[in-house]
């Protein structure tokens, strides 16, 4: 991951409604949720939801799959894991303290 991708993904999650949508998809698991179910669950108007979903798709945080007439949205777990790893992979690296005291798993491989 590079800084531009991380910044784009963080920006996409930086709106409360988008974060609500993303968290709902994370909670839904691999099955995901239909656009209609997301709309009902979160009480977001269709046009607003569509706009937010597009932003999350462009940032590669969600995927969509058409099943007949239903559009299923899913969290892109690989992408979010890469973002989290990017954010914490160098935890405590510049600390003068022993990294054993680091609050985050230091076994992550930074790429």
């Amino acid at each position: 991951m590079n800084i531009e991708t991380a910044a784009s993904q963080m920006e996409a999650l930086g709106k409360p409604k988008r974060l609500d949508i993303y968290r709902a998809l994370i909670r839904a698991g691999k099955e995901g949720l239909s656009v209609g179910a997301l709309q009902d669950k979160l009480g977001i108007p269709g046009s607003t939801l569509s706009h937010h979903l597009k932003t999350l798709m462009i940032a590669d945080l969600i995927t969509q799959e058409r099943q007949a007439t239903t559009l299923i949205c899913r969290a892109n777990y690989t992408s979010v894991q890469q973002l989290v790893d990017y954010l914490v992979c160098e935890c405590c690296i510049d600390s003068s303290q022993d990294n054993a005291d680091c609050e985050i798993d230091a076994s992550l491989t930074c790429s």
Side-chain angles (χ1 to χ4, degrees), residues 9-82:
Q9 290 179 339
M10 302 235 352
E11 181 180 11
L13 293 171
K15 300 286 184 191
K17 283 294 177 194
R18 278 189 221 138
L19 192 52
D20 284 344
I21 293 164
Y22 194 71
R23 292 186 71 215
L25 292 174
I26 290 286
R27 287 191 302 270
K30 292 181 181 181
E31 296 170 16
L33 290 170
S34 69
V35 171
L38 269 172
Q39 188 175 0
D40 292 344
K41 184 178 192 78
L42 300 174
I44 301 173
S47 60
T48 303
L49 179 58
S50 177
H51 167 74
H52 289 312
L53 290 173
K54 180 180 178 183
T55 301
L56 292 169
M57 284 264 309
I58 290 169
D60 197 31
L61 291 167
I62 68 167
T63 62
Q64 292 181 328
E65 175 189 3
R66 182 151 305 276
Q67 293 179 354
T69 60
T70 304
L71 189 59
I72 304 297
C73 300
R74 294 181 182 92
N76 182 342
Y77 291 98
T78 300
S79 189
V80 77
Q81 186 63 60
Q82 289 171 347

Side-chain angles (χ1 to χ4, degrees), residues 62-103:
I62 68 167
T63 62
Q64 292 181 328
E65 175 189 3
R66 182 151 305 276
Q67 293 179 354
T69 60
T70 304
L71 189 59
I72 304 297
C73 300
R74 294 181 182 92
N76 182 342
Y77 291 98
T78 300
S79 189
V80 77
Q81 186 63 60
Q82 289 171 347
L83 176 60
V84 170
D85 290 351
Y86 178 80
L87 292 172
V88 300
C89 76
E90 294 181 332
C91 179
C92 305
I93 199 163
D94 292 334
S95 173
S96 61
Q97 301 293 317
D98 182 2
N99 284 356
D101 291 337
C102 189
E103 297 291 326

Side-chain angles (χ1 to χ4, degrees), residues 1-11 86:
M1 174 158 302
N2 60 47
I3 195 164
E4 289 82 15
T5 301
S8 172
Q9 290 179 339
M10 302 235 352
E11 181 180 11
Y86 178 80

